[in-house]
Each structure stands twice: as structure tokens, then as C-alpha cells.
Amino acid sequence: LQLIEALVFISFYEGIQKTEFKIKNPIVVVIGYMIMCIFNLIFNYNVIINITLMLIFHFAFAKVLYKQNIGFSLFYSVLNICLVLLTEFIVLNILNFINGDTMRDFIENTYTYILLIVFSKSLLFILLKIVSEIINKSRSDEKINFTFFIFPLSLLLILVNFVIICSYFTLPNNILLTLACSSIFLIMAVITTCILQQKQAKKEQELLELKAFQQEQEINNTYFELLEHQNDELQLFVHDTKKHY
């Protein structure tokens, strides 16, 4: 589940950066999350320590790996922590609305707890996707590409159905295990697909910019050739005029 959260933030950072893709960046983010996981296990997921670690590591991710300035690095680290807390709060309230008095039983079951965390990270992924699209739009005035939200919203709808099914029906553990594993596979597949999709979109944008530059160069070359031809004709006219005089 920590790796899923790392993958969510890798997608976010890769979505807002303008430099080319470097494989070391996602690897370092994953290693950072594994270090945070170890500290959290040692201190039994103390809230203050967890938030402090996230603040430090996300500031380092943004500043060192993705070359953001200090102000934006601090802003992104605080924003990420706020969104993590917000999504967990929203999911718990949704679960409370659906389950009511049986919410504790839902959380204490290992498989439904996994499903709940994946649901929370899916919502976090969508919110960060919206933030990254807004950031990119502010930089280049490009329209928000809503096709990027098709897979995440579909994933969220599927997970909502999983939660409702597990809430209203008493399912054996093997079925709950299947749903938990399916939810993990789905979110990892969707996030990976979105990362590849946004990288492909960036490559296509760079290709369009390169073609536009080449067309501009061709137009300039044609214009210069025309000027050179006119200059040759003018020199010939001047020469003939002098000869005539």
C-alpha cells in the first residue's frame, strides 16, 4: 500500500515536470517511501512522525529530483500531505455513511481494509491529476485533457461498487482476498497507464513543436531564396541600365 502511494506521487511529479524522464527519479521516490514505511512501523504509525516524514521527503523529491524551486517544493509537500489527509477523511465518512455501526468491523478485516486504502489512494490520484492539469494549464495555456480522467474515474467507480458489495453482503475471506488483490492490480495498472499516456502526450507535443519549427524554417528558407532571386534580378536590371546609358 505504501508502494501504491509512491506510485501515485510519481505520477503527479512526472506530470508537472518539464524535463525529460529519468528512471532514477521514480526509483528514489520508491526507496524514500520504503524508508518512511520502516520509520512508521518502528513508531507504530505515529501521526506527527508520519506527517513530518512526508513533509521532509516530499520537499526533497520536489527540490532535488524534479528541480522545483524552494517555494514550489514547500507548497507541493504541504499540498500532498493535505490531500492525503483529506482523501482519508472523505473515504472514512463515505464508509461511515454506508456501514454505520459496522464500520469498525469493516476496517478491522484485513482484506476490506486493503480495499479501503486503495479506494483512498484512487481518490488521491484523481485529485492530484486535477492539480497537475491545472498547473500545466497555467504554464502553457493548454486546454485540460479530460481523456486522462477516463481510467481513474472508472477505477473509482469500480472500487465504490467493491466497497458497497463488501458492506451489504457477508462474503467469505477468499472472495474478499480476490477483491483486495483485484483492487491493487487495477490501481497499479491505471496509474502506470496514465504515466505512459502523459509521457506519450508530451512526446507528441514535442513532435508537433518540432514540425512547426521545421515548417517555419522552410518558410524562412523559401523567403530568403525569393529575396535572393529578386536581388539577382535587380542587379541584372542595374547592369543592363548602366550598359544602356
Side-chain angles (χ1 to χ4, degrees):
L1 295 175
Q2 288 285 317
L3 287 173
I4 289 174
E5 185 172 310
L7 196 60
V8 169
F9 283 110
I10 288 170
S11 174
F12 170 69
Y13 287 122
E14 292 294 332
I16 62 173
Q17 76 158 347
K18 288 298 181 181
T19 57
E20 63 181 34
F21 177 78
K22 295 180 181 179
I23 190 63
K24 71 171 186 178
N25 292 353
I27 293 175
V28 172
V29 173
V30 169
I31 293 173
Y33 259 87
M34 291 299 96
I35 294 173
M36 282 191 283
C37 183
I38 292 171
F39 273 98
N40 284 324
L41 289 173
I42 292 173
F43 293 100
N44 197 24
Y45 273 84
N46 181 277
V47 176
I48 296 175
I49 293 176
N50 189 16
I51 291 176
T52 304
L53 286 172
M54 284 192 65
L55 186 64
I56 295 171
F57 274 86
H58 277 279
F59 179 83
F61 294 155
K63 182 71 179 69
V64 179
L65 297 180
Y66 294 98
K67 310 302 180 185
Q68 304 292 327
N69 60 42
I70 294 177
F72 278 112
S73 299
L74 183 60
F75 170 74
Y76 291 144
S77 58
V78 173
L79 175 68
N80 292 338
I81 293 171
C82 290
L83 289 179
V84 168
L85 297 176
L86 176 64
T87 51
E88 291 177 356
F89 176 78
I90 291 173
V91 169
L92 285 175
N93 277 274
I94 292 174
L95 184 65
N96 183 48
F97 176 77
I98 295 174
N99 285 54
D101 297 335
T102 60
M103 184 178 76
R104 182 175 295 275
D105 296 333
F106 192 95
I107 294 175
E108 289 179 350
N109 183 287
T110 302
Y111 306 123
T112 52
Y113 178 75
I114 291 174
L115 183 61
L116 196 64
I117 296 298
V118 174
F119 182 25
S120 172
K121 301 312 171 188
S122 301
L123 186 58
L124 174 65
F125 176 60
I126 291 175
L127 293 179
L128 286 172
K129 199 71 179 168
I130 294 172
V131 171
S132 65
E133 288 294 317
I134 293 173
I135 292 172
N136 291 329
K137 186 179 186 305
S138 66
R139 287 173 176 173
S140 59
D141 292 331
E142 295 178 0
K143 293 182 179 179
I144 295 177
N145 193 345
F146 290 100
T147 58
F148 287 155
F149 295 93
I150 294 175
F151 292 124
L153 290 174
S154 300
L155 170 66
L156 196 63
L157 180 61
I158 291 171
L159 293 176
V160 168
N161 287 326
F162 282 178
V163 171
I164 292 174
I165 290 171
C166 294
S167 299
Y168 286 100
F169 298 97
T170 303
L171 301 175
N173 282 336
N174 60 338
I175 301 298
L176 294 176
L177 174 62
T178 302
L179 292 178
C181 292
S182 299
S183 64
I184 292 174
F185 173 78
L186 283 171
I187 189 172
M188 295 184 71
V190 167
I191 295 174
T192 304
T193 301
C194 287
I195 292 175
L196 296 175
Q197 189 181 23
Q198 65 191 17
K199 289 301 173 188
Q200 183 63 30
K202 284 185 178 181
K203 288 183 179 179
E204 290 177 357
Q205 181 64 29
E206 291 173 357
L207 183 61
L208 289 175
E209 291 175 357
L210 180 60
K211 286 183 177 180
F213 177 75
Q214 289 176 341
Q215 289 177 352
E216 184 179 356
Q217 289 294 104
E218 291 175 359
I219 292 172
N220 289 336
N221 291 336
T222 303
Y223 177 69
F224 288 134
E225 289 175 0
L226 179 61
L227 286 179
E228 186 176 1
H229 178 69
Q230 289 177 345
N231 186 51
D232 291 339
E233 288 187 341
L234 182 60
Q235 288 180 351
L236 181 62
F237 175 75
V238 171
H239 177 268
D240 291 343
T241 304
K242 287 182 178 179
K243 187 177 181 181
H244 176 71
Y245 286 153

